[in-house]
Amino acid sequence: MDAEAIKRSLGGSGLRCTPQRYAVMAFLMEHNSHPTAAQIFEAVNRVDPRSSRATTYNNLRDLVQAGLVREVAVEGRAARFDAKGMRHHHFICDRCGNVEDIEWYDVPRPASRSLGKRMLRECELIFRGLCTKCALRDTLPVKCRRHVGTR
Amino acid sequence: MDAEAIKRSLGGSGLRCTPQRYAVMAFLMEHNSHPTAAQIFEAVNRVDPRSSRATTYNNLRDLVQAGLVREVAVEGRAARFDAKGMRHHHFICDRCGNVEDIEWYDVPRPASRSLGKRMLRECELIFRGLCTKCALRDTLPVKCRRHVGTR
DNA sequence: TGAAGAATTTAGATTCTATCTAATGTGACA
DNA sequence: TGTCACATTAGATAGAATCTAAATTCTTCA
Ligand SMILES: [Mn+2]
Ligand SMILES: [Mn+2]
Ligand SMILES: [Zn+2]
Ligand SMILES: [Zn+2]
């Protein structure tokens, strides 16, 4: 949304604000759908200037390294990305694979005994189950369920 | 370790105890290193009987579906697997990528308000930071650090 | 200014990971 | 013993990410 804020955060991380990099960052800030690299590539190329696939991957890597973007570890195939705005947890749907934000709350750290000499940087909490849409679909009368089980 | 126990758990899940499937399960129970499918394939093929790559993947998929094996959500490229023994959390090293087990403790559920109509099945807690080896390496005197930063 | 040099982008090739296909093998059970 | 669902197999294919080497853009500073 705020173009100046994006420029500042890129500059503050030692990254030039190129049109391609800006487009990736802006797209992630405008959408909370946790898109894949391929989806981001397609979306930013619906408007000028065009960006190559390699550049999209390069920029996502740089933004993650700079701490501006998070790569959501999801067991599916393609990585999904997320602009690091407000802290939050994630809910991943068993059935449709959607990744949804869950309001953040503090997670108790492990006992220092079980942590040993490791240096803890962050705790990530991932919830799994059925998203609202899939949960409702499961409770529908049988005659209304079609194509269940077809992936 | 206990061959009979493995046979029982496979049978109990409706899976035949084939030599290939047994080898995958036994390897995962003997190693807590969270190997990739490629590593498992290579390991079980160092001994007879041989198993094809497709079978290794098929069996890993079946074992995960049966709930005997867990696929660890890790940001890297290849999925990593884990025999579901005692419940535990995971620690992933920022530097070397190793996945280590952390003693399990209860995780507070999100407020039902923020969960909405979603059906929660499980909470997965992932810690990130530096593993013991990498943390120690970082605190060594500079003259002893070699090859730092070479991937 | 305007080189020089560093950072970035690019198309396409390549590598890596996982799944699919269709043929073959195997074993539990009648 | 015959049957049939379950399993395995090699190789093809698909999908995701990275690499390469050349071109382009930006920053610096003489
Ligand atoms: Mn998110
Ligand atoms: Mn584990
Ligand atoms: Zn869903
Ligand atoms: Zn480490």
Side-chain angles (χ1 to χ4, degrees):
Chain A
M1 304 269 78
D2 185 353
E4 280 311 314
I6 294 182
K7 283 184 193 168
R8 268 197 310 274
S9 59
L10 288 177
S13 301
L15 296 173
R16 284 187 197 160
C17 182
T18 66
Q20 294 88 348
R21 188 170 284 154
Y22 178 92
V24 169
M25 194 66 208
F27 182 79
L28 280 176
M29 292 181 73
E30 287 164 12
H31 299 80
N32 62 338
S33 57
H34 309 88
T36 65
Q39 289 168 333
I40 296 168
F41 169 69
E42 199 216 3
V44 304
N45 273 311
R46 277 200 286 267
V47 296
D48 277 331
R50 312 201 86 75
S51 179
S52 75
R53 175 171 44 252
T55 295
T56 304
Y57 278 99
N58 286 343
N59 282 330
L60 283 169
R61 192 229 305 117
D62 295 343
L63 292 169
V64 168
Q65 269 183 4
L68 300 174
V69 165
R70 162 159 66 162
E71 178 180 337
V72 183
V74 51
E75 63 214 333
R77 281 271 235 52
R80 304 182 64 163
F81 297 89
D82 192 3
K84 271 192 184 171
M86 203 118 42
R87 298 184 80 174
H88 59 273
H89 300 304
H90 282 129
F91 184 98
I92 303 179
C93 180
D94 287 332
R95 187 205 290 270
C96 70
N98 263 357
V99 179
E100 301 174 340
D101 292 344
I102 296 287
E103 196 177 340
W104 193 81
Y105 60 89
D106 219 333
V107 179
R109 291 167 46 105
S112 76
R113 174 181 45 78
S114 64
L115 213 48
K117 289 192 161 46
R118 284 178 274 249
M119 273 198 41
L120 183 61
R121 180 176 56 81
E122 72 167 14
C123 303
E124 181 178 356
L125 192 43
I126 296 175
F127 306 105
R128 297 176 190 282
L130 294 179
C131 74
T132 301
K133 203 188 297 180
C134 292
L136 290 176
R137 187 168 108 166
D138 265 5
T139 62
L140 286 177
V142 171
K143 64 176 176 182
C144 294
R145 277 194 277 149
R146 301 190 193 181
H147 308 302
V148 170
T150 65
R151 304 199 188 175
Chain B
M1 303 270 79
D2 185 352
E4 280 311 313
I6 294 182
K7 282 184 193 169
R8 269 197 310 275
S9 60
L10 288 178
S13 302
L15 297 173
R16 279 191 200 157
C17 183
T18 66
Q20 294 87 349
R21 189 170 284 156
Y22 177 92
V24 169
M25 193 66 207
F27 181 79
L28 281 176
M29 291 181 73
E30 287 164 11
H31 298 81
N32 61 340
S33 57
H34 310 89
T36 65
Q39 289 169 333
I40 296 168
F41 169 70
E42 199 216 3
V44 304
N45 274 310
R46 277 199 286 266
V47 297
D48 277 332
R50 313 203 85 74
S51 178
S52 76
R53 176 172 36 252
T55 296
T56 304
Y57 277 99
N58 287 344
N59 282 330
L60 283 169
R61 191 229 304 117
D62 296 342
L63 292 169
V64 167
Q65 269 183 5
L68 299 174
V69 165
R70 160 158 68 162
E71 179 180 335
V72 183
V74 50
E75 63 213 333
R77 197 85 168 295
R80 304 181 64 161
F81 297 89
D82 193 3
K84 270 192 185 174
M86 203 117 45
R87 296 184 80 174
H88 58 272
H89 300 304
H90 282 129
F91 184 99
I92 303 179
C93 180
D94 288 333
R95 186 205 291 270
C96 69
N98 263 358
V99 180
E100 301 176 338
D101 292 344
I102 297 287
E103 196 176 342
W104 193 82
Y105 60 90
D106 220 333
V107 179
R109 291 167 46 104
S112 77
R113 175 181 45 77
S114 63
L115 213 48
K117 290 192 161 44
R118 284 177 275 248
M119 274 198 40
L120 184 61
R121 180 175 56 81
E122 71 167 16
C123 303
E124 182 178 355
L125 191 43
I126 296 175
F127 305 106
R128 296 176 188 282
L130 294 179
C131 75
T132 300
K133 203 188 298 180
C134 291
L136 290 177
R137 187 167 108 165
D138 263 6
T139 60
L140 287 176
V142 171
K143 65 177 174 181
C144 295
R145 277 194 278 148
R146 302 192 191 178
H147 308 304
V148 170
T150 66
R151 306 193 192 177

